[in-house]
Amino acid sequence: MSDSPARPRPLGPDEEALVRAVVKVMYVLPRTIDADMAGDRQLPLTEYTALMHLSEAPERRMRMHELASACHLSLSGMTRTVARLETQGLVKRERCEEDARGWNAILTDAGLARLQESWPSHLAAIRRRFLRHFEGLDLAQLARAFERVGTAD
Amino acid sequence: MSDSPARPRPLGPDEEALVRAVVKVMYVLPRTIDADMAGDRQLPLTEYTALMHLSEAPERRMRMHELASACHLSLSGMTRTVARLETQGLVKRERCEEDARGWNAILTDAGLARLQESWPSHLAAIRRRFLRHFEGLDLAQLARAFERVGTAD
DNA sequence: AGCCATTACTTGCTTGGTCAAGCAACAACA
DNA sequence: TGTTGTTGCTTGACCAAGCAAGTAATGGCT
């Protein structure tokens, strides 16, 4: 907080409705998606996301901090996530060649297989629980608005 | 998962952009708002929300499960939240008259004062970090879409 | 060469949530 | 009136996240 705002204008009805709906989505959607994906071999959303980003990276490898920021996770959070994935054999870690402080997280073949096994239900959940409800709206415009959210100015 | 979807159509570019942007918002926005509100006397978002719902309830009181679902929290999560608020004197608990298993969480005067103290910065944060970016869009339409999110059909 | 500031990551601790099990009060019924 | 099942909430065990402090490698700068 830089300045303490004296009496900000209260929310109008539409604004309030939007805020409440989005807050609800933030709480409910991740759990819903997770639950939809909970087949035999549940892959939690965070771990799924990490595998996904790795699969899209050149050589299926990324530095820890890149991966963390791609997943919107703190670096320490990512350390632990990768550790979990490593014990399952889905990811391995290698020291970075050009900077021995750094590590690469690397998607293993098993990890790729696991991701491919999960993505259809992940994708279906996204469509069914989320995108479905935005049919007919201008998605690109909406995406631009959401991309700006969080920035102050 | 009831049925395993064979090969769902992959996301188009606009769909993908929207999903990524919304996911990012879900991770980043709560922390941003929290941080904006972190004045001297930080009131975490969950606790703020609980106080807010209580303040709007008749007699400033609600049953635990009502409050939990209003806040999109599990009942046990709400038990702990209310416990935290109680130790700060912002809420008190009373056995429910007509059903001695039940409890009412009741907003105290101190709680109301605290809420009134927090809401300007809360509101400002919401405007600045969120609503600001939707100017010119049809908020009501958007709200309706988000209200449906999470439901399957 | 030797030191210092910086960077990349990990670890310890705390917080805040879930789920499952427990407990007490109620409701329905023999 | 006791018994049996259900409901409302709490508690215990666990887990994933963040922050702050620690460690190790690097890159200037003298």
Side-chain angles (χ1 to χ4, degrees):
Chain A
M1 284 300 334
S2 39
D3 50 350
S4 64
R7 284 216 110 226
R9 178 167 40 98
L11 297 180
D14 291 349
E15 292 175 323
E16 170 136 11
L18 179 59
V19 168
R20 286 190 127 96
V22 169
V23 167
K24 180 179 171 201
V25 166
M26 294 191 331
Y27 277 85
V28 168
L29 191 58
R31 280 200 283 281
T32 309
I33 304 255
D34 247 15
D36 277 7
M37 292 174 62
D40 288 344
R41 317 177 57 211
Q42 158 87 320
L43 197 51
L45 205 45
T46 303
E47 300 181 15
Y48 179 90
T49 307
L51 295 188
M52 187 193 73
H53 284 288
L54 284 176
S55 78
E56 293 169 355
E59 301 182 62
R60 295 173 5 195
R61 70 176 56 209
M62 288 172 83
R63 293 289 290 268
M64 295 300 289
H65 76 265
E66 292 182 87
L67 189 52
S69 80
C71 297
H72 313 292
L73 218 59
S74 70
L75 195 48
S76 70
M78 189 44 77
T79 295
R80 297 181 218 271
T81 301
V82 167
R84 288 193 298 273
L85 290 168
E86 207 177 6
T87 63
Q88 304 173 67
L90 306 180
V91 157
K92 65 175 191 271
R93 301 176 354 152
E94 262 176 27
R95 282 224 102 103
C96 179
E97 304 232 318
E98 60 275 8
D99 184 344
R101 290 168 302 182
W103 292 86
N104 283 298
I106 306 170
L107 186 63
T108 62
D109 290 342
L112 186 57
R114 192 81 154 67
L115 183 63
Q116 281 163 347
E117 179 188 319
S118 293
W119 84 259
S121 72
H122 177 78
L123 188 45
I126 298 257
R127 287 204 173 282
R128 193 165 91 111
R129 302 293 188 175
F130 183 75
L131 284 174
R132 182 179 166 58
H133 304 291
F134 293 90
E135 271 166 25
L137 277 66
D138 183 342
L139 297 190
Q141 183 191 41
L142 212 47
R144 281 193 301 276
F146 273 95
E147 276 155 15
R148 287 192 306 260
V149 164
T151 64
D153 0 59
Chain B
M1 281 304 334
S2 39
D3 51 352
S4 63
R7 282 217 112 225
R9 178 167 41 98
L11 298 180
D14 292 349
E15 292 175 322
E16 170 135 11
L18 179 59
V19 168
R20 287 189 126 97
V22 169
V23 166
K24 179 180 171 196
V25 166
M26 295 190 333
Y27 276 85
V28 169
L29 191 58
R31 279 200 284 282
T32 310
I33 304 255
D34 247 16
D36 277 6
M37 293 174 63
D40 289 344
R41 317 177 58 214
Q42 157 88 319
L43 196 52
L45 205 45
T46 304
E47 300 181 15
Y48 179 90
T49 307
L51 296 187
M52 187 193 74
H53 284 288
L54 284 176
S55 78
E56 293 169 355
E59 303 181 61
R60 293 170 10 191
R61 71 174 56 209
M62 288 173 86
R63 293 287 290 268
M64 296 299 289
H65 77 264
E66 293 182 86
L67 189 52
S69 80
C71 297
H72 313 294
L73 217 60
S74 72
L75 193 50
S76 68
M78 190 43 78
T79 294
R80 298 184 214 270
T81 301
V82 167
R84 289 193 298 272
L85 290 168
E86 207 178 8
T87 63
Q88 303 173 68
L90 305 180
V91 156
K92 66 176 189 271
R93 299 174 356 149
E94 261 176 27
R95 282 224 100 102
C96 179
E97 305 231 318
E98 59 275 6
D99 183 345
R101 287 168 302 183
W103 292 86
N104 284 299
I106 306 171
L107 187 63
T108 63
D109 291 343
L112 186 57
R114 193 81 154 66
L115 183 62
Q116 281 163 349
E117 180 188 316
S118 292
W119 84 257
S121 73
H122 177 78
L123 189 44
I126 298 256
R127 286 203 174 285
R128 193 164 88 111
R129 302 294 188 174
F130 183 74
L131 284 174
R132 181 179 169 57
H133 304 292
F134 293 90
E135 271 166 26
L137 277 67
D138 182 342
L139 297 190
Q141 182 190 42
L142 212 46
R144 281 193 302 276
F146 272 94
E147 277 155 15
R148 289 192 305 260
V149 164
T151 65
D153 0 61

